[in-house]
């Protein structure tokens, strides 16, 4: 059995290892900086799944007043396909609803078809749009 709980500072190393194992770190992002930036928000929307005191899953949610966002959803390869990501998504959706968030979005690379399958079976729909970005702080 696993539990889902808000991330704590002590989870830094296991989470960085999890993200690395799941292949979701990107050369242009700094996962450790992301971890601490999110922790300063203290919004309880950064969660881990834990089994036998080991971090096996994560999700980072946020609410900007207009919509919610999901980042860093990851489940350790040895624990996939037993419903952990689904439980993390359901938990974060409940928390977003509780703070009045009316809709939630996320970004997936177009060629990541298995992850798109995962989100579609959770009733996410594709939205045709172009994502634009601009760096505000040089890390
Ligand atoms: C995507 C991910 C989080 C799914 O985690 P998970 O805990 O295995 O997902 P669940 O067990 O809750 O899956 C529920 C359902 O989603 C679908 N699904 C999940 N993974 C899938 C895959 N690789 N291919 C196709 N469908 C998939 C299935 O319908 C599955 O139900 P089933 O196992 O009864 O067939 C996990 O594969 C992962 O960490 N991937 C690497 C990191 C990543 O790409 N994250 C997303 C960043 S946007």
């Amino acid at each position: 059995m696993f539990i889902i709980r808000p991330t704590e500072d002590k989870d830094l190393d296991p989470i960085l290892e999890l993200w690395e194992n799941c292949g979701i770190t990107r050369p242009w992002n700094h996962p450790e900086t992301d971890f601490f930036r999110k922790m300063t928000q203290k919004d309880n929307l950064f969660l881990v799944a834990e089994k036998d005191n080991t971090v096996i899953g994560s999700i980072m949610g946020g609410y900007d007043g207009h919509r919610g966002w999901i980042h860093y959803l990851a489940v350790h390869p040895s624990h996939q396909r037993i419903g952990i990501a689904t439980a993390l998504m359901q938990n974060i959706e409940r928390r977003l609803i509780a703070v009045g968030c009316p809709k939630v979005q996320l970004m997936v690379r177009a060629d990541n078809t298995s992850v798109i399958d995962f989100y579609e079976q959770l009733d996410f729909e594709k939205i045709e749009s172009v994502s634009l970005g601009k760096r505000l702080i040089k890390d």
Side-chain angles (χ1 to χ4, degrees):
M1 209 38 217
F2 62 93
I3 60 157
I4 293 176
R5 60 164 175 80
T7 299
E8 299 169 23
D9 284 341
K10 67 168 175 134
D11 298 317
L12 171 67
D13 288 338
I15 283 188
L16 294 187
E17 203 179 317
L18 172 75
W19 291 348
E20 197 65 43
N21 277 325
C22 290
I24 55 170
T25 51
R26 295 286 170 262
W28 54 88
N29 285 332
H30 298 276
E32 183 169 350
T33 310
D34 277 4
F35 179 97
F36 285 116
R37 281 182 175 139
K38 184 60 186 174
M39 291 304 281
T40 63
Q41 294 194 328
K42 299 188 189 310
D43 58 8
N44 286 333
L45 294 175
F46 184 17
L47 309 175
V48 291
E50 185 182 69
K51 186 177 193 295
D52 301 330
N53 293 317
T54 303
V55 170
I56 53 169
S58 76
I59 190 166
M60 185 189 282
Y63 177 42
D64 59 21
H66 178 55
R67 57 169 70 96
W69 286 95
I70 306 286
H71 301 282
Y72 285 117
L73 176 67
V75 172
H76 192 279
S78 61
H79 292 83
Q80 289 178 2
R81 302 306 285 262
I82 56 168
I84 296 174
T86 300
L88 284 163
M89 288 293 295
Q90 289 170 343
N91 194 306
I92 208 84
E93 285 181 19
R94 277 198 301 275
R95 288 168 186 264
L96 287 168
I97 290 167
V99 294
C101 173
K103 57 183 171 181
V104 65
Q105 278 183 218
L106 50 91
M107 291 184 288
V108 184
R109 280 198 332 266
D111 61 356
N112 201 348
T113 52
S114 60
V115 175
I116 293 171
D117 288 347
F118 165 77
Y119 287 118
E120 284 187 335
Q121 56 86 39
L122 286 179
D123 296 332
F124 279 72
E125 295 169 356
K126 285 184 188 146
I127 300 169
E128 292 303 327
S129 67
V130 176
S131 293
L132 301 178
K134 177 180 174 181
R135 183 161 280 283
L136 299 176
I137 298 174
K138 201 167 188 303
D139 288 331

